[in-house]
Amino acid sequence: METNRRITRSDYQKIPSIFNRIIKGNEGGGTMQSGVCLRVLLLAAFTVTITAQKPAPEVFTLTVPNGPILTRLNASVTLPCELSPLFNVEPLEVRWYRSENSNSPALLYKDHKIQEAPVDPRYRGRVSLTGGLERGNVSLTLERVTLEDRGEYVCHVSNERWYEKANVYLSMNVTGSAPVLSVASGGGGQVNVTCSSEGWSPQPKLTWRNKEGTEIKNEQVLFTSDSQGLLSVSSWLLYSPSDSDWLSCTISLSEEEKRESRVLPHKPGAWKEAFIVTLVLSLLLLCALSTVVCILLKHRDQIKLEQSKSETKKLFKVTENSQEKQPVKDGINLQDWRQVKGFQENITMNEKTAHSAIRVTQEGKTAQYINENMKSSDRRHPHVLANQSFESEQHYWEVKVRDETFAKAVGDCRKLSWYVGVARDNADRTSTVPVTAHYGFWILSYEEGKGFHVNTDPLTSEPVREDLSVVGVFLDCDKHSLSFYNVDTESHIYTFCNLVTSYSFCPVFSPGQHDLHPITILNEN
């Protein structure tokens, strides 16, 4: 029977021992038997040689998988590629390359060896041919897979008469961060629950469920991509909860690769009711204790009473002195403007980030809307970012949004619109994208006739006096909060909570686009 096996080194090593046995047979007188053995041996060697050296076919094809090859970050993966019909491809040239970069292959096999150049340096030391060239298998093995390795590869095999190529797609599963859930008032007894997560590949599935495990259908899902091609996913849901209901948000690639978080969304205003009840009970308890103390004090000697009062006054003075020496950062009361003012920064505007209709002057301290400067090609929102950005600690700055001196000079005291706050440093500033917290903006805004609003979803109106002239902004990166203050009255306006992101925050300023009144960053005191 004909065989396609190659003659190996071990086959050649057996030939001397066979000849020795034939010679010994001759010495023993078995001439005829030895002659027969010699003829059989020569015939077998000739037959094996002829069949093993069968020439390669003039035409061949490549067989690769129909779908993508799935792998994980930092793992090893094999991209299959096999010739049909099967034959020894060691004399041929094998080239693996990315579909967009054929001149710099990931691996080049030529002249019976893997070539050092020209190859893509990103793959050096990480690729090999492991299928067995002598069996017609030219599969590529890739070690320590990175995010950049995802994509389409080309298996290219050629000789002097023919070539063939086929595409293999490498896909990678990357599990992102645990979902972050936040709750805000949605109006009408409902709450607006938001779920967000970062760092997924490929596109994951987001699922809402109630405490019974029933899926809640929701089409409000948004995907965005970062510079590495990893996806961020977010979704929001209007929900009418009871005191015992909880919601879960699950983001998954498969049953084995998923992340889940849960939240108990209380009805809006429930915390206020609990606070009022607690306050009333505390006052009643305090009154009862005060009555008991008064009765006991009546039975004491007047001298001892005076001594007790004196000692109490000294104790209060010691307590007050120790509290005055305590640093502000140890406990920040967001309602106390005087505390947060201690973190004031020297903020300036970055003129390069300004909309074409906004003029930045006074060394980056003032922004003014100039209509004739607007370029029709500028599709950004009418604001400007600061030169500074923050990702840790506490920071405070003040913005003058109403300038009476300027108003008297131009004969118009009305400031029609403005907004101030912070933006995520990678936020999309195109005018088609809403300036909302969902898209990386947290702001306090004013528009004549509509009043003051913070950009929650839906908008939250704030009862602020119309003559507000200076806004204080306090960003606490460590506690993920942003607060606004009326500096004129030294009072708190509103606080955003749960500003959770892996990016930095950058102050944002808009003088509006309806009047010439400027807004100005006030210098640090």
Side-chain angles (χ1 to χ4, degrees), residues 39 288 322 435 485 506:
R39 291 187 185 93
S322 64
V435 182
Y485 300 87
C506 188

Side-chain angles (χ1 to χ4, degrees), residues 466-503:
E466 289 285 335
D467 60 353
L468 169 67
S469 64
V470 179
V471 177
V473 186
F474 177 64
L475 174 64
D476 191 336
C477 298
D478 297 338
K479 294 186 178 179
H480 313 294
S481 67
L482 176 72
S483 302
F484 297 99
Y485 300 87
N486 184 339
V487 177
D488 305 332
T489 60
E490 300 182 3
S491 60
H492 174 262
I493 298 176
Y494 185 83
T495 294
F496 283 101
C497 298
N498 299 322
L499 274 70
V500 180
T501 180
S502 58
Y503 300 94

